[in-house]
Amino acid sequence: MPRLLFFYLIRRIGLGILVIQFALSVPVVLAYLLSSLPAAAVRGGLVWPAVQGVAPTVAYVALPLATGVATALEFSRMASEGMIAVLYALRLSVWAVCRPATALALALVAVGYLFSNFMAPLYVGTMQDVLNVVRNSLNHRMLEPAHFYTFDNGSKTLYLERWETPDIAANLFVRQLSTEKMEEQIITAAHAEFRRNETGVIVALRKGSVQTRPLAGGGDVRLSAFDEYALVLPMQGSGSLPPRTWRGIYELRPGEFMQQLAAARTDPRLLAEWTAEAAMRLGVPILAFGHTLLAMALALTFGNVTGRRGAGGQLAIIAIPVVHIGFLVLLQTLLRADARFFVLLAALALMEILISAFMLSKLNSPNKTSARSRQKNRLDLQAERARI
């Protein structure tokens, strides 16, 4: 294939992949955020960290689908415009016509592995940190008036009557327990200003009182008033999101992830979870190559390469999403039930590649035969002219 035509087809398919990838990723990310985050998360500034945590995972999962659909659209277009017939007339084989899309698909497989094994594990923990803040009300701008909130495993209880500004509350109530001093404190204040520092939140209380009494019961109750009082809360600071006490297997780097296999083998449930994550990291990116071969095989086999309109070319555009979504559904359901289904999913992915390659080879054989026939006819014609 001429070099200019090779890069022209790569640019055409690559532009289609970018458009489809954007069209697929943005709605999925927004839908996930809308279902996972409350409206108060916007006030708390949690939307951008959540996008960072979700986008790399959505990107590598949607990339094979975008690659296959863009290839199907481009080959269907070339077939409907008669470009495939022209390329055949230039004595290009089926494999030569498919070479630009195949090279681009292999490059995108490498990009998919970069995202699935490095980018996604690096950023997916940010989304879990955001969910930790949301579920445990660790952002002061997400606190609703007239609700009780607990922190530090129930050692602190907070209640506010209303918000005067996004950072200043009126009529705050705090109950905190100290196991070291074996005492309970009840703090009330007319106004409370929430100020973030690098590690947490400092609440500046004004015009209130502190009531202290022993936890064991009995003893004197001490009551003191204050004009200003400072209280530290373990909430989201300005520097980073609050740390979590756990770490998911999907957050592990490649080396750490492989080291977890020995521990996962001791528990079937852990092994199923590890296998499902391994299939996502190792199996999903290679689908970009398989979907590309399938799209080209279906478009060239059932599409009308003479330039006449036909419905066969639409089959590839419909088949790619069905195959991709079906693979993801089987991956998440079967593997989480039993890790041994990994063999079945690997066989299905390999079958897609082999069947597509077989269909393309069958298309290539008649092309070679017709080329030999044309060459034989020319030789016979030359011989006939020489004899005459």
Side-chain angles (χ1 to χ4, degrees):
M1 175 175 286
R3 184 176 180 181
L4 183 62
L5 181 59
F6 180 86
F7 287 107
Y8 166 77
L9 292 178
I10 285 183
R11 286 197 301 269
R12 291 277 309 186
I13 299 174
L15 180 60
I17 291 173
L18 287 177
V19 173
I20 297 173
Q21 177 76 7
F22 183 80
L24 289 173
S25 299
V26 172
V28 172
V29 171
L30 291 179
Y32 183 80
L33 295 182
L34 290 175
S35 63
S36 302
L37 302 180
V42 178
R43 300 194 304 268
L46 297 175
V47 175
W48 177 243
V51 170
Q52 287 181 311
V54 175
T57 301
V58 173
Y60 86 80
V61 172
L63 184 59
L65 178 57
T67 304
V69 172
T71 303
L73 288 172
E74 182 62 22
F75 271 73
S76 297
R77 181 195 67 84
M78 290 193 299
S80 64
E81 294 178 359
M83 187 174 177
I84 299 294
V86 173
L87 295 178
Y88 287 166
L90 293 175
R91 299 183 183 180
L92 293 177
S93 67
V94 173
W95 293 117
V97 174
C98 297
R99 191 174 297 124
T102 304
L104 181 59
L106 291 175
L108 291 178
V109 168
V111 174
Y113 279 124
L114 174 65
F115 271 78
S116 65
N117 289 280
F118 296 96
M119 298 294 293
L122 179 63
Y123 288 102
V124 72
T126 306
M127 184 60 193
Q128 299 303 319
D129 292 338
V130 170
L131 294 178
N132 178 50
V133 171
V134 171
R135 291 166 182 168
N136 296 286
S137 303
L138 298 180
N139 187 299
H140 72 271
R141 292 188 175 180
M142 296 178 61
L143 300 179
E144 297 291 341
H147 283 75
F148 285 93
Y149 296 93
T150 59
F151 306 97
D152 280 349
N153 297 322
S155 62
K156 285 185 174 65
T157 303
L158 183 144
Y159 175 92
L160 57 92
E161 184 177 295
R162 69 180 186 276
W163 285 104
E164 295 181 347
T165 70
D167 296 318
I168 299 177
N171 297 330
L172 186 76
F173 167 88
V174 178
R175 174 180 178 267
Q176 59 182 6
L177 305 177
S178 175
T179 55
E180 298 177 354
K181 299 180 180 179
M182 295 300 294
E183 63 183 19
E184 174 191 22
Q185 283 187 335
I186 297 178
I187 305 171
T188 58
H191 298 278
E193 181 180 357
F194 290 78
R195 302 173 182 174
R196 285 180 177 174
N197 59 16
E198 289 293 325
T199 58
V201 171
I202 297 176
V203 185
L205 306 175
R206 294 194 299 272
K207 296 181 180 179
S209 63
V210 179
Q211 179 180 323
T212 307
R213 64 180 180 180
L215 285 177
D220 296 332
V221 176
R222 302 189 304 273
L223 181 64
S224 58
F226 61 82
D227 291 329
E228 292 185 353
Y229 188 85
L231 179 67
V232 178
L233 291 178
M235 304 180 74
Q236 177 188 351
S238 59
S240 61
L241 296 172
R244 287 176 285 121
T245 58
W246 57 275
R247 191 181 183 197
I249 194 171
Y250 41 79
E251 301 178 60
L252 302 179
R253 301 293 180 87
E256 299 173 318
F257 178 74
M258 296 305 298
Q259 292 175 1
Q260 289 295 317
L261 177 58
R265 286 175 176 171
T266 61
D267 187 345
R269 184 183 60 83
L270 293 178
L271 181 61
E273 184 179 354
W274 187 94
T275 307
E277 179 63 20
M280 290 291 294
R281 295 189 181 200
L282 303 178
V284 171
I286 198 66
L287 293 179
F289 178 68
H291 292 350
T292 299
L293 290 181
L294 181 61
M296 293 186 296
L298 293 177
L300 295 178
T301 301
F302 299 101
N304 197 326
V305 298
T306 61
R308 297 177 181 177
R309 293 185 177 273
Q314 306 299 321
L315 177 63
I317 302 173
I318 299 174
I320 299 303
V322 172
V323 172
H324 186 71
I325 294 173
F327 185 88
L328 293 178
V329 170
L330 291 177
L331 187 152
Q332 293 296 328
T333 55
L334 295 181
L335 286 184
R336 294 191 181 279
D338 194 330
R340 289 173 292 184
F341 281 111
F342 179 81
V343 178
L344 174 62
L345 291 176
L348 291 176
L350 181 61
M351 189 182 303
E352 178 188 9
I353 295 175
L354 294 179
I355 291 177
S356 303
F358 175 76
M359 294 172 65
L360 292 174
S361 64
K362 292 291 287 184
L363 290 172
N364 199 54
S365 298
N367 203 43
K368 289 183 178 179
T369 302
S370 60
R372 294 194 192 98
S373 299
R374 289 193 298 268
Q375 180 69 15
K376 182 177 182 298
N377 292 336
R378 282 196 301 270
L379 292 176
D380 292 342
L381 181 60
Q382 291 174 0
E384 184 66 20
R385 289 176 178 175
R387 187 177 64 81
I388 295 174

